[in-house]
Amino acid sequence: MTSAMDNRQAHGPLVLSIDAMGSDRGPATIVAGLSAFARKHRDVRFLLHGPEAELRPLVDKHKGLPAQVEIRDASGVVSMEDKPSHVMRNGQDTSMWSTVDAVRNREATVAVSCGNTGALMLLSMVRLRKLPGVNRPAIAVLWPSRNPQGYNVMLDVGADIRADADDLLKYAMMGASYARNGLNLERPRIGLLNVGTEEHKGRAELKAAHELIAANAEAGSFDYVGFVEGGDIPGKRCDVIVTDGFTGNIALKTGEGTASLINSLLREAFTYSPLSRLAALLALSSLKRLQARVDPRRKNGGVFLGLNGTVVKSHGAADATGVAAAVELAYDLAQSGFGDRLAARVASAAASADTEATADPAEATDTKKNGTGI
Amino acid sequence: MTSAMDNRQAHGPLVLSIDAMGSDRGPATIVAGLSAFARKHRDVRFLLHGPEAELRPLVDKHKGLPAQVEIRDASGVVSMEDKPSHVMRNGQDTSMWSTVDAVRNREATVAVSCGNTGALMLLSMVRLRKLPGVNRPAIAVLWPSRNPQGYNVMLDVGADIRADADDLLKYAMMGASYARNGLNLERPRIGLLNVGTEEHKGRAELKAAHELIAANAEAGSFDYVGFVEGGDIPGKRCDVIVTDGFTGNIALKTGEGTASLINSLLREAFTYSPLSRLAALLALSSLKRLQARVDPRRKNGGVFLGLNGTVVKSHGAADATGVAAAVELAYDLAQSGFGDRLAARVASAAASADTEATADPAEATDTKKNGTGI
């Protein structure tokens, strides 16, 4: 088995692996988003996976892009309806498979795909394999919040429908790493999602996780704020919300659905009468400012954590702006060496758990001295 | 044991049992809300529970109210911090106990309280007892939605953190009853909350509940749309969302938190510059229209279902408008004979489940003929 610490790219330009297929809007949108990002980062290179005959003209349309892109011909496409197990058995020729394998082969640091989440997760798990010490990988998202950084991290939002106490501890470690690298928080505050903040509430595995996460806060260089509630996901009590993938998925979609309903009602309210349409015109810049703060496209991308390699899952319906945001996220994570840092951190947690969850002050201090904690 | 069908009030004016204490804003707010409702319904009578010396002057301030109100002196107050089990052991002198017992003694049809949810649930369960066939009672709420009726029903939002397949079936029956009586939907569409709409997804108890609810749709006079996702809670795919109390509580609070964040950001956006403040002035009526649609005060109140008697839990922070809405909801449910209808419906489901979940067409047809399905 490959050690996670060996999983570094050779020196040279930073390379990202991009799945051109699987978007609801087609490959032209992916290439447009890629080009928007590439214009600002001419030193980054891309492996772009999909049918070459289709992709070549799309890439050639964007000035400067061809020099940054190497197309990897792959004729198969994973559709949103394909069962993950079917893709795993028969998907060797697909662009998704090729995208993930470029990270597996260390040709690229981070993979980005808009495709079928279940298939992407299963492919990533099998091809990249789980990090030592991780039983269940997780999908983490950024969520608009009242915190100064504007976003909170929530995980798992759907990699697995179950999580035991040890999984939740690993999610806390991984979420803290992600918040440090993705949101620049030196010492993220972790909350464990529950139906109340009292210690006696909730399911048995949550009480066990509560103890375990508290005991590992020092080793993980995070602060543990204890149980938090649904209202704290967009709140400011903590920076990272830890939960199982069933609950996290439902919370994510409930939040998105509520935001979308309010958005529709806001539009309705502003087209109700001539006066309200005039008001809307005047309010345009205010409404745009609001939109920018809660626009999911600005922070598009769930990140698969706990594997030998980082995979960014972009929304299937993302437009070019959304794709560019997902690629930007992949770039940020690749540049900070996030994958290796996360692996080292989880390994230390695993070791720490092996010695009965005692904190290792030496490790924590060392991390602080470097000023580059994962 | 008392049969649920005997649980009718004697002929005479409709009586509601109101807990004057336990609100974050104090009893004056409760009385003000009660008075606002009472002005529109001079034929309704109220049993108002709390310290008489404190309540009498509050009631006397509202013209016409004293004639409708009978104060039931109770010196004790359940605080938000009190443990439910403590209230159960030592709370006989509290206004909450007295409020619930008035329904138990059939002096009133529906109880309303703003107090501690856990204590109110436990008191209601012990004093009113569960309906035959119900293992876990549920709390149902109305949620702003894209449906024509403007609201969907969701349950359970926190009565119990667990629910097995049979509990979820009972929630479907009870939720359908509530939608018929609270939202005037003749044949509500029921959805079972899951992380995907595919039949193979989700936890084992959800797959079992899926079969069970589908098999009882005819007997329950509802349509079953299958699995729904978090985004469907404010959506239009179904009218009633069935889930366990852990998931439902987190979804409810996530939705409330998201709406509240957007509300704050909207205010910020409209006070950003002189121009945006002018726009806000012009947009005032539009924004008020939006506010009215998502204002939780308009549909304030979780309803405890599955007990021998109906209890409405108002939000602890509700203002007079919110309290009036909770009393209005209690009135609507009392007037439609909801409690008895629900009991009959659940009893029929229990009987139906006993005979291996076969639908009883006779019962369903009978209900339809009456045109007054529960």
Side-chain angles (χ1 to χ4, degrees), chain A residues 122-169:
Chain A
L122 185 59
L123 261 183
S124 301
M125 267 180 62
V126 174
R127 302 300 291 167
L128 302 179
R129 290 196 308 273
K130 291 180 279 188
L131 283 178
V134 171
N135 182 34
R136 291 193 164 95
I139 305 176
V141 291
L142 295 175
W143 187 293
S145 82
R146 294 181 194 267
N147 271 317
Q149 71 270 17
Y151 294 87
N152 290 342
V153 173
M154 178 159 77
L155 76 170
D156 174 29
V157 299
D160 200 311
I161 55 169
R162 265 164 295 262
D164 64 22
D166 186 62
D167 296 326
L168 293 168
L169 167 63

Short mmCIF file of all heavy atoms in Angstrom, two decimals, chain A residues 122-169:
data_model
loop_
_atom_site.label_atom_id
_atom_site.label_comp_id
_atom_site.label_asym_id
_atom_site.label_seq_id
_atom_site.Cartn_x
_atom_site.Cartn_y
_atom_site.Cartn_z
N LEU A 122 -17.71 6.37 -5.16
CA LEU A 122 -17.29 4.97 -5.17
C LEU A 122 -15.99 4.81 -5.96
O LEU A 122 -15.05 4.14 -5.50
CB LEU A 122 -18.40 4.09 -5.76
CG LEU A 122 -18.13 2.58 -5.71
CD1 LEU A 122 -17.92 2.09 -4.28
CD2 LEU A 122 -19.25 1.78 -6.37
N LEU A 123 -15.92 5.44 -7.15
CA LEU A 123 -14.70 5.40 -7.95
C LEU A 123 -13.50 5.93 -7.14
O LEU A 123 -12.43 5.33 -7.13
CB LEU A 123 -14.86 6.29 -9.18
CG LEU A 123 -15.22 5.63 -10.50
CD1 LEU A 123 -15.26 6.67 -11.61
CD2 LEU A 123 -14.18 4.57 -10.85
N SER A 124 -13.72 7.05 -6.46
CA SER A 124 -12.63 7.68 -5.70
C SER A 124 -12.17 6.77 -4.58
O SER A 124 -10.97 6.62 -4.32
CB SER A 124 -13.08 9.02 -5.13
OG SER A 124 -13.49 9.89 -6.16
N MET A 125 -13.15 6.13 -3.91
CA MET A 125 -12.79 5.24 -2.80
C MET A 125 -11.99 4.05 -3.28
O MET A 125 -11.00 3.66 -2.65
CB MET A 125 -14.05 4.76 -2.08
CG MET A 125 -14.43 5.62 -0.91
SD MET A 125 -15.92 5.00 -0.10
CE MET A 125 -15.38 3.38 0.45
N VAL A 126 -12.44 3.47 -4.39
CA VAL A 126 -11.78 2.25 -4.86
C VAL A 126 -10.44 2.56 -5.52
O VAL A 126 -9.45 1.88 -5.29
CB VAL A 126 -12.71 1.49 -5.84
CG1 VAL A 126 -11.98 0.30 -6.45
CG2 VAL A 126 -13.97 1.02 -5.11
N ARG A 127 -10.41 3.61 -6.34
CA ARG A 127 -9.18 3.91 -7.08
C ARG A 127 -8.13 4.62 -6.22
O ARG A 127 -6.94 4.40 -6.39
CB ARG A 127 -9.49 4.73 -8.34
CG ARG A 127 -10.47 4.07 -9.31
CD ARG A 127 -9.98 2.73 -9.83
NE ARG A 127 -8.83 2.85 -10.72
CZ ARG A 127 -8.06 1.83 -11.11
NH1 ARG A 127 -8.31 0.61 -10.68
NH2 ARG A 127 -7.04 2.02 -11.92
N LEU A 128 -8.57 5.52 -5.34
CA LEU A 128 -7.59 6.26 -4.52
C LEU A 128 -7.34 5.58 -3.19
O LEU A 128 -6.31 5.77 -2.56
CB LEU A 128 -8.09 7.69 -4.28
CG LEU A 128 -8.35 8.54 -5.53
CD1 LEU A 128 -8.85 9.93 -5.13
CD2 LEU A 128 -7.09 8.65 -6.38
N ARG A 129 -8.27 4.81 -2.74
CA ARG A 129 -8.23 4.13 -1.44
C ARG A 129 -8.29 5.10 -0.27
O ARG A 129 -7.91 6.26 -0.36
CB ARG A 129 -7.00 3.22 -1.33
CG ARG A 129 -7.11 1.99 -2.25
CD ARG A 129 -6.10 0.92 -1.87
NE ARG A 129 -4.75 1.45 -1.78
CZ ARG A 129 -3.93 1.54 -2.81
NH1 ARG A 129 -4.29 1.13 -4.01
NH2 ARG A 129 -2.71 2.02 -2.64
N LYS A 130 -8.81 4.55 0.84
CA LYS A 130 -8.97 5.38 2.03
C LYS A 130 -7.63 5.61 2.71
O LYS A 130 -6.73 4.77 2.65
CB LYS A 130 -9.94 4.69 3.00
CG LYS A 130 -11.36 4.66 2.49
CD LYS A 130 -12.31 3.99 3.46
CE LYS A 130 -12.26 2.48 3.38
NZ LYS A 130 -13.30 1.82 4.18
N LEU A 131 -7.50 6.74 3.38
CA LEU A 131 -6.31 7.02 4.18
C LEU A 131 -6.24 6.02 5.33
O LEU A 131 -7.28 5.62 5.86
CB LEU A 131 -6.40 8.42 4.80
CG LEU A 131 -6.11 9.62 3.90
CD1 LEU A 131 -6.32 10.89 4.71
CD2 LEU A 131 -4.68 9.55 3.39
N PRO A 132 -5.03 5.64 5.73
CA PRO A 132 -4.91 4.80 6.92
C PRO A 132 -5.60 5.50 8.10
O PRO A 132 -5.41 6.70 8.29
CB PRO A 132 -3.40 4.73 7.16
CG PRO A 132 -2.76 5.14 5.88
CD PRO A 132 -3.73 6.03 5.16
N GLY A 133 -6.40 4.78 8.84
CA GLY A 133 -7.09 5.36 10.00
C GLY A 133 -8.49 5.88 9.69
O GLY A 133 -9.25 6.19 10.58
N VAL A 134 -8.83 5.97 8.39
CA VAL A 134 -10.15 6.45 8.01
C VAL A 134 -11.02 5.27 7.59
O VAL A 134 -10.65 4.53 6.68
CB VAL A 134 -10.08 7.48 6.86
CG1 VAL A 134 -11.48 7.80 6.33
CG2 VAL A 134 -9.40 8.75 7.34
N ASN A 135 -12.15 5.10 8.25
CA ASN A 135 -13.07 4.03 7.89
C ASN A 135 -14.09 4.52 6.87
O ASN A 135 -14.40 3.83 5.90
CB ASN A 135 -13.78 3.49 9.14
CG ASN A 135 -14.70 2.34 8.82
OD1 ASN A 135 -14.42 1.55 7.92
ND2 ASN A 135 -15.82 2.27 9.51
N ARG A 136 -14.62 5.73 7.11
CA ARG A 136 -15.59 6.32 6.20
C ARG A 136 -15.10 7.68 5.71
O ARG A 136 -14.94 8.60 6.50
CB ARG A 136 -16.94 6.51 6.90
CG ARG A 136 -17.66 5.23 7.23
CD ARG A 136 -19.10 5.50 7.64
NE ARG A 136 -19.88 4.28 7.60
CZ ARG A 136 -20.09 3.50 8.66
NH1 ARG A 136 -19.61 3.82 9.83
NH2 ARG A 136 -20.82 2.39 8.53
N PRO A 137 -14.88 7.83 4.42
CA PRO A 137 -14.57 9.16 3.88
C PRO A 137 -15.80 10.06 4.04
O PRO A 137 -16.89 9.59 4.38
CB PRO A 137 -14.29 8.90 2.40
CG PRO A 137 -14.17 7.42 2.26
CD PRO A 137 -14.96 6.82 3.36
N ALA A 138 -15.63 11.35 3.82
CA ALA A 138 -16.74 12.29 4.00
C ALA A 138 -16.73 13.32 2.88
O ALA A 138 -15.70 13.55 2.25
CB ALA A 138 -16.62 13.00 5.34
N ILE A 139 -17.90 13.90 2.63
CA ILE A 139 -17.98 15.04 1.71
C ILE A 139 -18.20 16.29 2.56
O ILE A 139 -19.12 16.33 3.37
CB ILE A 139 -19.15 14.88 0.70
CG1 ILE A 139 -19.02 13.56 -0.06
CG2 ILE A 139 -19.18 16.06 -0.26
CD1 ILE A 139 -20.20 13.28 -1.01
N ALA A 140 -17.31 17.27 2.36
CA ALA A 140 -17.43 18.53 3.11
C ALA A 140 -17.87 19.64 2.16
O ALA A 140 -17.43 19.70 1.01
CB ALA A 140 -16.09 18.89 3.74
N VAL A 141 -18.75 20.53 2.66
CA VAL A 141 -19.14 21.71 1.88
C VAL A 141 -18.92 22.98 2.69
O VAL A 141 -18.82 22.94 3.91
CB VAL A 141 -20.64 21.67 1.46
CG1 VAL A 141 -20.90 20.57 0.45
CG2 VAL A 141 -21.54 21.52 2.68
N LEU A 142 -18.86 24.10 1.98
CA LEU A 142 -18.83 25.41 2.62
C LEU A 142 -20.24 25.98 2.60
O LEU A 142 -20.94 25.86 1.59
CB LEU A 142 -17.86 26.34 1.89
CG LEU A 142 -16.40 25.91 1.93
CD1 LEU A 142 -15.55 26.84 1.08
CD2 LEU A 142 -15.88 25.90 3.36
N TRP A 143 -20.66 26.59 3.70
CA TRP A 143 -22.03 27.02 3.89
C TRP A 143 -22.03 28.50 4.32
O TRP A 143 -21.32 28.83 5.26
CB TRP A 143 -22.63 26.14 5.00
CG TRP A 143 -24.07 26.29 5.25
CD1 TRP A 143 -24.71 27.38 5.75
CD2 TRP A 143 -25.08 25.31 5.02
NE1 TRP A 143 -26.05 27.14 5.85
CE2 TRP A 143 -26.30 25.88 5.42
CE3 TRP A 143 -25.07 24.00 4.54
CZ2 TRP A 143 -27.50 25.19 5.33
CZ3 TRP A 143 -26.26 23.32 4.47
CH2 TRP A 143 -27.47 23.90 4.85
N PRO A 144 -22.79 29.36 3.68
CA PRO A 144 -22.82 30.76 4.09
C PRO A 144 -23.17 30.89 5.58
O PRO A 144 -24.09 30.20 6.04
CB PRO A 144 -23.93 31.38 3.23
CG PRO A 144 -24.06 30.48 2.06
CD PRO A 144 -23.71 29.11 2.55
N SER A 145 -22.44 31.71 6.30
CA SER A 145 -22.66 31.81 7.74
C SER A 145 -22.46 33.23 8.25
O SER A 145 -22.03 34.10 7.52
CB SER A 145 -21.68 30.89 8.48
OG SER A 145 -20.42 31.52 8.60
N ARG A 146 -22.76 33.44 9.53
CA ARG A 146 -22.58 34.75 10.17
C ARG A 146 -21.16 34.96 10.64
O ARG A 146 -20.86 35.99 11.24
CB ARG A 146 -23.53 34.87 11.36
CG ARG A 146 -25.01 34.89 11.01
CD ARG A 146 -25.86 35.03 12.26
NE ARG A 146 -27.26 34.72 11.98
CZ ARG A 146 -28.17 35.64 11.64
NH1 ARG A 146 -27.82 36.89 11.55
NH2 ARG A 146 -29.41 35.28 11.37
N ASN A 147 -20.27 33.99 10.45
CA ASN A 147 -18.90 34.14 10.91
C ASN A 147 -18.14 35.12 10.02
O ASN A 147 -18.49 35.30 8.86
CB ASN A 147 -18.20 32.77 10.90
CG ASN A 147 -18.40 32.03 12.22
OD1 ASN A 147 -18.30 32.64 13.28
ND2 ASN A 147 -18.68 30.74 12.13
N PRO A 148 -17.06 35.73 10.58
CA PRO A 148 -16.28 36.71 9.80
C PRO A 148 -15.79 36.14 8.47
O PRO A 148 -15.74 36.84 7.47
CB PRO A 148 -15.10 37.04 10.71
CG PRO A 148 -15.53 36.66 12.08
CD PRO A 148 -16.55 35.57 11.94
N GLN A 149 -15.45 34.85 8.44
CA GLN A 149 -14.95 34.26 7.20
C GLN A 149 -16.07 34.04 6.19
O GLN A 149 -15.82 33.65 5.05
CB GLN A 149 -14.17 32.97 7.47
CG GLN A 149 -15.02 31.78 7.91
CD GLN A 149 -15.18 31.69 9.42
OE1 GLN A 149 -14.93 32.64 10.16
NE2 GLN A 149 -15.61 30.53 9.89
N GLY A 150 -17.32 34.28 6.59
CA GLY A 150 -18.45 34.22 5.65
C GLY A 150 -18.99 32.83 5.39
O GLY A 150 -20.08 32.69 4.84
N TYR A 151 -18.24 31.81 5.76
CA TYR A 151 -18.65 30.43 5.47
C TYR A 151 -18.30 29.52 6.63
O TYR A 151 -17.31 29.75 7.32
CB TYR A 151 -17.96 29.90 4.20
CG TYR A 151 -18.40 30.63 2.97
CD1 TYR A 151 -17.75 31.80 2.57
CD2 TYR A 151 -19.48 30.18 2.22
CE1 TYR A 151 -18.18 32.49 1.44
CE2 TYR A 151 -19.91 30.87 1.10
CZ TYR A 151 -19.26 32.02 0.72
OH TYR A 151 -19.67 32.72 -0.39
N ASN A 152 -19.09 28.49 6.83
CA ASN A 152 -18.72 27.40 7.73
C ASN A 152 -18.52 26.13 6.91
O ASN A 152 -19.01 26.02 5.79
CB ASN A 152 -19.83 27.16 8.77
CG ASN A 152 -19.93 28.30 9.78
OD1 ASN A 152 -19.00 29.10 9.92
ND2 ASN A 152 -21.06 28.37 10.46
N VAL A 153 -17.79 25.19 7.49
CA VAL A 153 -17.60 23.88 6.89
C VAL A 153 -18.62 22.92 7.49
O VAL A 153 -18.83 22.94 8.71
CB VAL A 153 -16.18 23.34 7.15
CG1 VAL A 153 -16.04 21.90 6.68
CG2 VAL A 153 -15.13 24.23 6.50
N MET A 154 -19.29 22.12 6.67
CA MET A 154 -20.11 21.05 7.23
C MET A 154 -19.73 19.73 6.57
O MET A 154 -19.53 19.67 5.36
CB MET A 154 -21.60 21.30 7.02
CG MET A 154 -22.45 20.13 7.56
SD MET A 154 -24.17 20.56 7.90
CE MET A 154 -24.82 20.58 6.25
N LEU A 155 -19.59 18.68 7.38
CA LEU A 155 -19.33 17.34 6.85
C LEU A 155 -19.88 16.30 7.83
O LEU A 155 -20.01 16.62 8.99
CB LEU A 155 -17.83 17.10 6.60
CG LEU A 155 -16.88 16.84 7.77
CD1 LEU A 155 -15.55 16.39 7.26
CD2 LEU A 155 -16.72 18.04 8.71
N ASP A 156 -20.25 15.16 7.38
CA ASP A 156 -20.41 14.64 6.05
C ASP A 156 -21.77 15.06 5.48
O ASP A 156 -22.75 15.02 6.21
CB ASP A 156 -20.27 13.11 6.12
CG ASP A 156 -20.54 12.39 4.82
OD1 ASP A 156 -20.33 12.98 3.74
OD2 ASP A 156 -21.00 11.24 4.87
N VAL A 157 -21.83 15.42 4.21
CA VAL A 157 -23.13 15.76 3.62
C VAL A 157 -23.62 14.68 2.67
O VAL A 157 -24.49 14.95 1.84
CB VAL A 157 -23.10 17.13 2.91
CG1 VAL A 157 -22.76 18.24 3.87
CG2 VAL A 157 -22.16 17.12 1.71
N GLY A 158 -23.08 13.46 2.80
CA GLY A 158 -23.69 12.40 2.00
C GLY A 158 -22.77 11.33 1.43
O GLY A 158 -23.18 10.56 0.57
N ALA A 159 -21.52 11.24 1.91
CA ALA A 159 -20.66 10.16 1.43
C ALA A 159 -21.20 8.83 1.93
O ALA A 159 -21.19 7.83 1.22
CB ALA A 159 -19.23 10.37 1.90
N ASP A 160 -21.68 8.82 3.16
CA ASP A 160 -22.18 7.58 3.78
C ASP A 160 -23.38 7.95 4.65
O ASP A 160 -23.42 9.01 5.24
CB ASP A 160 -21.08 6.97 4.65
CG ASP A 160 -21.33 5.49 4.92
OD1 ASP A 160 -22.46 5.12 5.31
OD2 ASP A 160 -20.40 4.69 4.73
N ILE A 161 -24.39 7.07 4.73
CA ILE A 161 -25.55 7.42 5.53
C ILE A 161 -25.36 7.09 7.01
O ILE A 161 -26.18 7.44 7.82
CB ILE A 161 -26.85 6.74 5.01
CG1 ILE A 161 -26.67 5.21 4.93
CG2 ILE A 161 -27.25 7.31 3.66
CD1 ILE A 161 -27.98 4.49 4.70
N ARG A 162 -24.28 6.42 7.33
CA ARG A 162 -24.01 6.08 8.72
C ARG A 162 -22.70 6.71 9.18
O ARG A 162 -21.82 6.99 8.36
CB ARG A 162 -23.87 4.56 8.88
CG ARG A 162 -25.12 3.83 9.29
CD ARG A 162 -24.94 2.34 9.03
NE ARG A 162 -24.81 2.12 7.58
CZ ARG A 162 -25.83 1.75 6.82
NH1 ARG A 162 -27.01 1.52 7.34
NH2 ARG A 162 -25.67 1.60 5.52
N ALA A 163 -22.53 6.89 10.49
CA ALA A 163 -21.24 7.28 11.05
C ALA A 163 -21.23 6.90 12.51
O ALA A 163 -22.16 7.23 13.25
CB ALA A 163 -21.02 8.79 10.90
N ASP A 164 -20.20 6.16 12.95
CA ASP A 164 -20.10 5.85 14.37
C ASP A 164 -19.23 6.91 15.05
O ASP A 164 -18.77 7.86 14.41
CB ASP A 164 -19.60 4.42 14.60
CG ASP A 164 -18.18 4.20 14.08
OD1 ASP A 164 -17.44 5.19 13.93
OD2 ASP A 164 -17.81 3.04 13.85
N ALA A 165 -19.02 6.76 16.35
CA ALA A 165 -18.30 7.79 17.11
C ALA A 165 -16.91 8.04 16.55
O ALA A 165 -16.46 9.19 16.44
CB ALA A 165 -18.23 7.38 18.58
N ASP A 166 -16.22 6.95 16.15
CA ASP A 166 -14.86 7.12 15.63
C ASP A 166 -14.87 7.85 14.28
O ASP A 166 -14.01 8.68 14.01
CB ASP A 166 -14.19 5.75 15.49
CG ASP A 166 -12.73 5.89 15.09
OD1 ASP A 166 -11.96 6.49 15.89
OD2 ASP A 166 -12.36 5.47 13.98
N ASP A 167 -15.87 7.53 13.44
CA ASP A 167 -16.00 8.25 12.16
C ASP A 167 -16.19 9.74 12.42
O ASP A 167 -15.58 10.58 11.75
CB ASP A 167 -17.21 7.73 11.37
CG ASP A 167 -17.07 6.28 10.95
OD1 ASP A 167 -15.93 5.84 10.67
OD2 ASP A 167 -18.09 5.57 10.92
N LEU A 168 -17.04 10.05 13.40
CA LEU A 168 -17.33 11.47 13.69
C LEU A 168 -16.07 12.18 14.19
O LEU A 168 -15.84 13.35 13.87
CB LEU A 168 -18.48 11.57 14.70
CG LEU A 168 -19.84 11.09 14.16
CD1 LEU A 168 -20.86 10.95 15.29
CD2 LEU A 168 -20.39 12.04 13.08
N LEU A 169 -15.24 11.46 14.96
CA LEU A 169 -13.95 12.04 15.38
C LEU A 169 -13.09 12.36 14.16
O LEU A 169 -12.51 13.44 14.05
CB LEU A 169 -13.21 11.08 16.31
CG LEU A 169 -11.74 11.43 16.57
CD1 LEU A 169 -11.60 12.78 17.27
CD2 LEU A 169 -11.04 10.35 17.39
#
